[in-house]
Amino acid sequence: MSDKSELSSQSEISELDKSSNTDSNELLPLDHPSVVAAHKRMKRRANRGRRFTYVAAIAIALWIVIPIFFVFSMAFTTEDAVRAYPKGFLPFIPFSTDTMRFFLNFDGVLAGLVNSLLVALITLVLSTIIAVPAGYAISRYVFPGRDFFRISVLAVRAFPVVVLSIPLAVLFIRTGLFDSIWSLSLMHTALVMPTTILVVASVFASVPYELEEAGQVFGATPLQSFRYIVVPLVLPGIAASGLFSFVLSWNEVFAASVLTLDNKTLPALVLTSLSNSPPAFQFAGGFFLMVPSIIFTFFIRKYLFNMWGQVAK
Amino acid sequence: MKSRRRRLIPYFLIAPTLIYLAAFFAYPMFQAFALAIYDDEAALPLLDEPSSQGNEIGRLTQGTRVDIADRQGNQLAESQDQSAELGQEADEAGFSTVDVWFLVEGEGTDGADVTGWMPKSRLRIRDEAPDGTALGGTIRPPVGVGDPFTVIRAQPNEKADEVGTIGQRETVSVIETASVEVWYQVVDAESGTTGWAPSRYVEVFSDEETGRIDGATAGEFTGKYFDRMTDDRKFTSAWQTTLLLMIVILPLQFVLAMAMALVVDARLRFGSGFLYVFALPMGMSDLAVGILFFSIFSGSGLINSFLDTLGLIDSQILFLTSDTRSWIIFAIVLAELWRSTSIVMVILVSGLQAIPRETLEAAELFGASYWQRVRHIVLPLLKPSIQVALILRTILAFQVFAVVIALSGGDVVTVLANEAFRQYRLNNDNVASAYAILILALSIGSAFFYLRAVRHESEVEAV
């Protein structure tokens, strides 16, 4: 209520402002000098605003890109350049794969990379297999308990990983599953599944059911119309959600540190050797941790709002 | 028939999810509570007779010093395997629990054949089956003075009736072997509690008359893990830092996210490029961001390099030492702002896109300036999105972990999640779970707080 009244008073003011030029409330022809002037003024103001927006956009972009670029520079240069002070950026320091090679030869890094890759892939497959039917169910069927299911999935998503990791570690130690890439994948799957379900549901919801029906009208069986009409349409979205699972698992460090000991994933390894490792190790480790997410963000940028907008609701 | 099957389809489709979440979500959740508030080895029940069938007449907590009043064997009801396991367990614990008794047949001192039970310690085994089972042997001579005969009893129990005696060095055949667990009658001198307990839970000292309760089987609800958590010297610092970070980060983050969202929504040229860059940190691991900001703030890092190149400083400024807590916190704030603002931005942009363009255009036509439009139209209409983002960010703020470890080593500045991890590393699973439950309670509490707070506001407005 208050918003509206304030606005109308505001418009009155600007009305007065304009009428001082035109001294009447009648509609003027578009080529009238005062209209042209007002139009120019508005355009100028809009342009000024636009320029300011560009400045803001570039400033924010720099704030995000500079740290990333700095770490990338350090990850692809000589060890001397990494140790040097003051440090420089890539075009000004020698390009070299020394840092990378040092990191990859570091004890346990290759195994950690392989573990991370395996865990992330298992998580991707498991979560997709389990979540796709559930996502399909909540987007295509109306059934008693549907809202409850949706809400519990959302609630699961909000629960802290800390709460799940420690009891699961205790359970895995008791059952002998501790310190294996499988147990960590099971945990990661539980973490990503809620998001995957909601994203998959939104992807299915974006394919109208009428399309499936149309297929059936033209003589396809329900399975056929699903296979040849729905699947091609939802595949990119499901691939995006799979990528999301992969990246989340690749990034996850708390559960990975709690649930593994000898079979550490890369983040767990980097975390434990952070304090007693040379800068080259940290930079290259940071690089490896960031790369999948940068690629991921590139591929899902179209789905960004579909995914997160939907998840946020 | 067909329609009923069709109605069941969605349940088949969600069943795997439900099963999975039950196993890897509901169960650990329950277990976290159990670990935090239940001590499953709190006390040892004492029984009125030396047998697991006895009735409980009292309880003693672990570590209680007791007097050993009596000692008695009691045949294990279970199979040999279990008794072997039991014996092994006892060996690991360092004290004996299992006596072996033999059912023997031989010539008694009265000349007649006698059949009955005798302890293994009195028999020298002469004949064994291939699997090690005793088949026969001779009675050992008694050590020192005393009864020269070995007493044969009706049951494998020192208290059982005597059925006869066998003289030393007599040959007997073993019919059966039984494992007998020793029970102690313990007395707690202080409370006067007395009762029988199996020997594996009682450590007997070398004088054989006193001992200590060394194990427990009865669980009890307990607040001691929460007490240990709150008594920990880092607890206060941990929750204060967590809250401080949240209070500082959230407002800054929402201003920055709003700016980013408005820029994205302004449909600039290269807009999708800007969006990509703005969204970059969203998928990034908190550990990577921790490393990123460590490299910026470290002694020979980006900031020092920059200032040095400009000639503004002579020596490196050390930001991340144990004496510069506030600089570390500042670095954590920046790192968290960098990392987690993108997700807020994305939520806000999807909210912005839902605002009808016509509303904004109408306001513009009526002469509302850009800021007026933002303040009076965009922000009120964004309230649901802001609420969602607030809840999400607050919950995540309680879980800040790797950034803090990367920037402070997890020691100078500590947060709740970090403490949970530290306690877990120290093998204090229960205290770690107490921290986890605290984080959970704070998350749920803050979510409800936001839901209520925002609803109240809208009610006030409606009035």
Side-chain angles (χ1 to χ4, degrees):
Chain A
M1 287 288 143
S2 60
D3 292 347
K4 241 184 203 169
S5 59
E6 229 172 276
L7 251 182
S8 55
S9 67
Q10 204 60 53
S11 61
E12 273 163 27
I13 292 168
S14 53
E15 212 71 53
L16 283 174
D17 194 30
K18 270 181 204 156
S19 57
S20 63
N21 277 342
T22 56
D23 56 32
S24 85
N25 280 343
E26 281 168 40
L27 278 176
L28 293 162
L30 279 176
D31 54 356
H32 189 278
S34 68
V35 172
V36 172
H39 187 232
K40 269 189 182 160
R41 201 167 54 237
M42 270 176 72
K43 223 178 171 181
R44 210 168 333 131
R45 212 205 290 164
N47 271 339
R48 210 184 313 131
R50 215 148 178 80
R51 234 171 289 141
F52 175 77
T53 315
Y54 272 108
V55 171
I58 290 167
I60 297 172
L62 284 179
W63 144 254
I64 286 167
V65 165
I66 286 179
I68 300 179
F69 187 65
F70 178 60
V71 167
F72 275 33
S73 301
M74 289 295 124
F76 285 100
T77 190
T78 59
E79 290 190 42
D80 285 340
V82 170
R83 270 195 294 270
Y85 173 80
K87 290 182 169 45
F89 276 103
L90 200 48
F92 310 109
I93 52 176
F95 179 86
S96 150
T97 52
D98 281 3
T99 324
M100 257 322 130
R101 241 180 288 144
F102 170 79
F103 176 72
L104 290 175
N105 289 330
F106 201 88
D107 197 25
V109 165
L110 270 183
L113 269 173
V114 171
N115 282 339
S116 270
L117 202 65
L118 287 176
V119 169
L121 284 176
I122 298 171
T123 304
L124 189 162
V125 171
L126 263 184
S127 65
T128 307
I129 289 176
I130 298 176
V132 166
Y136 185 78
I138 54 176
S139 74
R140 277 287 192 272
Y141 294 93
V142 179
F143 54 96
R146 176 171 171 269
D147 288 336
F148 178 74
F149 179 72
R150 251 188 90 96
I151 287 172
S152 15
V153 164
L154 261 177
V156 169
R157 188 172 164 274
F159 277 101
V161 53
V162 184
V163 185
L164 302 183
S165 302
I166 291 162
L168 271 180
V170 175
L171 169 75
F172 287 149
I173 289 172
R174 278 184 199 154
T175 52
L177 256 172
F178 183 71
D179 193 18
S180 95
I181 54 169
W182 287 99
S183 56
L184 186 58
S185 311
L186 292 174
M187 165 86 208
H188 281 175
T189 305
L191 284 182
V192 300
M193 208 153 58
T195 315
T196 314
I197 291 174
L198 297 175
V199 170
V200 168
S202 82
V203 169
F204 275 117
S206 69
V207 179
Y209 185 63
E210 288 72 33
L211 278 182
E212 265 182 89
E213 278 181 334
Q216 288 174 43
V217 166
F218 285 108
T221 65
L223 256 181
Q224 277 174 333
S225 71
F226 180 78
R227 164 73 187 78
Y228 293 103
I229 297 171
V230 180
V231 168
L233 287 172
V234 296
L235 220 46
I238 288 174
S241 87
L243 258 177
F244 170 80
S245 314
F246 184 94
V247 169
L248 199 132
S249 165
W250 182 275
N251 286 346
E252 205 287 319
V253 63
F254 190 93
S257 308
V258 166
L259 292 178
T260 58
L261 205 61
D262 295 327
N263 293 313
K264 284 199 175 78
T265 60
L266 194 66
L269 180 79
V270 171
L271 185 81
T272 43
S273 32
L274 204 57
S275 52
N276 48 18
S277 60
F281 177 88
Q282 300 173 354
F283 288 122
F287 170 79
F288 268 101
L289 288 179
M290 284 191 288
V291 163
S293 74
I294 290 174
I295 299 171
F296 160 75
T297 313
F298 182 77
F299 278 113
I300 63 136
R301 67 196 192 289
K302 270 190 216 154
Y303 296 92
L304 214 52
F305 302 114
N306 282 1
M307 282 175 80
W308 289 98
Q310 184 67 25
V311 172
K313 268 168 207 165
Chain B
M1 190 62 215
K2 202 185 168 194
S3 76
R4 175 182 288 175
R5 239 195 348 230
R6 278 190 72 91
R7 243 180 292 146
L8 283 177
I9 288 175
Y11 296 104
F12 285 129
L13 293 176
I14 63 168
T17 305
L18 288 178
I19 294 169
Y20 197 91
L21 289 182
F24 293 100
F25 183 78
Y27 172 78
M29 203 59 128
F30 168 77
Q31 195 67 32
F33 274 101
L35 281 168
I37 59 170
Y38 190 76
D39 180 1
D40 55 1
E41 291 185 350
L44 180 68
L46 300 179
L47 308 183
D48 60 352
E49 54 174 297
S51 143
S52 48
Q53 270 89 48
N55 301 314
E56 186 180 326
I57 51 171
R59 279 186 176 190
L60 287 177
T61 51
Q62 256 200 63
T64 314
R65 295 214 158 217
V66 289
D67 295 327
I68 308 292
D70 200 359
R71 177 186 193 280
Q72 196 180 329
N74 194 341
Q75 187 168 7
L76 290 169
E78 303 299 320
S79 66
Q80 200 106 14
D81 293 338
Q82 197 192 335
S83 62
E85 201 178 285
L86 243 173
Q88 199 182 7
E89 206 176 275
D91 285 346
E92 279 167 15
F95 50 92
S96 141
T97 60
V98 177
D99 282 355
V100 175
W101 286 63
F102 293 129
L103 179 60
V104 296
E105 188 173 20
E107 194 188 332
T109 40
D110 55 1
D113 275 359
V114 57
T115 306
W117 293 90
M118 59 173 285
K120 184 187 181 185
S121 58
R122 300 302 296 268
L123 185 77
R124 171 164 292 143
I125 297 161
R126 303 275 185 194
D127 188 11
E128 271 184 3
D131 63 353
T133 320
L135 295 175
T138 54
I139 304 292
R140 281 178 197 273
V143 184
V145 281
D147 192 356
F149 308 121
T150 294
V151 178
I152 305 297
R153 298 183 188 277
Q155 310 255 304
N157 188 332
E158 283 160 15
K159 297 276 148 85
D161 294 338
E162 209 176 302
V163 293
T165 54
I166 301 184
Q168 53 176 284
R169 297 201 176 82
E170 285 287 343
T171 305
V172 293
S173 58
V174 175
I175 302 163
E176 205 184 321
T177 308
S179 295
V180 166
E181 191 181 22
V182 175
W183 286 63
Y184 293 114
Q185 189 179 29
V186 297
V187 179
D188 178 17
E190 272 178 39
S191 65
T193 315
T194 180
W196 289 91
S199 58
R200 68 194 121 130
Y201 300 123
V202 183
E203 185 191 353
V204 180
F205 299 145
S206 52
D207 61 3
E208 305 243 316
E209 282 173 0
T210 56
R212 199 170 72 91
I213 302 294
D214 200 45
T217 51
E220 272 174 12
F221 287 100
T222 172
K224 67 179 172 186
Y225 301 124
F226 277 96
D227 289 343
R228 268 167 67 190
M229 173 182 80
T230 50
D231 289 345
D232 192 273
R233 71 191 166 85
K234 294 210 163 165
F235 175 72
T236 315
S237 150
W239 73 258
Q240 283 176 349
T241 312
T242 310
L243 280 190
L244 174 75
L245 286 175
M246 208 164 80
I247 292 168
V248 175
I249 291 171
L250 283 186
L252 290 175
Q253 181 154 61
F254 274 79
V255 172
L256 181 58
M258 197 65 219
M260 287 160 84
L262 290 174
V263 166
V264 168
D265 201 48
R267 309 193 172 179
L268 302 178
R269 200 183 298 201
F270 313 117
S272 68
F274 280 121
L275 175 63
Y276 171 57
V277 171
F278 289 2
L280 264 184
M282 206 176 80
M284 268 190 207
S285 110
D286 43 353
L287 179 60
V289 178
I291 292 175
L292 218 72
F293 277 78
F294 179 82
S295 71
I296 292 175
F297 279 91
S298 69
S300 61
L302 192 60
I303 292 183
N304 275 316
S305 298
F306 182 68
L307 293 177
D308 188 89
T309 314
L310 293 183
L312 290 174
I313 51 167
D314 296 327
S315 59
Q316 296 176 1
I317 307 171
L318 297 176
F319 296 105
L320 306 175
T321 66
S322 51
D323 301 329
T324 52
R325 245 184 78 93
S326 19
W327 273 117
I328 297 182
I329 289 180
F330 177 71
I332 295 173
V333 168
L334 281 192
E336 278 294 297
L337 273 182
W338 191 91
R339 182 178 76 89
S340 57
T341 304
S342 304
I343 176 70
V344 182
M345 172 205 69
V346 168
I347 294 174
L348 293 185
V349 171
S350 15
L352 278 180
Q353 289 177 344
I355 296 177
R357 293 268 145 193
E358 296 77 23
T359 319
L360 291 169
E361 277 161 16
E364 199 176 355
L365 270 179
F366 281 117
S369 75
Y370 184 71
W371 296 115
Q372 284 169 335
R373 271 175 281 152
V374 169
R375 166 69 190 84
H376 295 291
I377 297 174
V378 174
L379 281 182
L381 286 175
L382 267 186
K383 207 176 260 173
S385 303
I386 292 176
Q387 183 185 7
V388 166
L390 258 180
I391 292 175
L392 187 73
R393 277 302 309 146
T394 310
I395 288 173
L396 292 177
F398 288 119
Q399 300 177 51
V400 183
F401 170 65
V403 169
V404 177
I405 289 200
L407 287 172
S408 79
D411 198 41
V412 185
V413 175
T414 186
V415 289
L416 289 174
N418 184 23
E419 284 305 296
F421 184 62
R422 195 172 64 89
Q423 294 288 354
Y424 172 78
R425 278 287 179 79
L426 296 170
N427 277 329
N428 298 332
D429 294 343
N430 303 90
V431 184
S433 298
Y435 271 107
I437 296 299
L438 175 68
I439 292 171
L440 177 66
L442 288 172
S443 308
I444 295 176
S446 51
F448 272 105
F449 169 76
Y450 287 131
L451 289 173
R452 276 194 77 87
V454 174
R455 200 186 61 194
H456 270 290
E457 243 176 70
S458 55
E459 273 167 10
V460 170
E461 237 168 60
V463 172

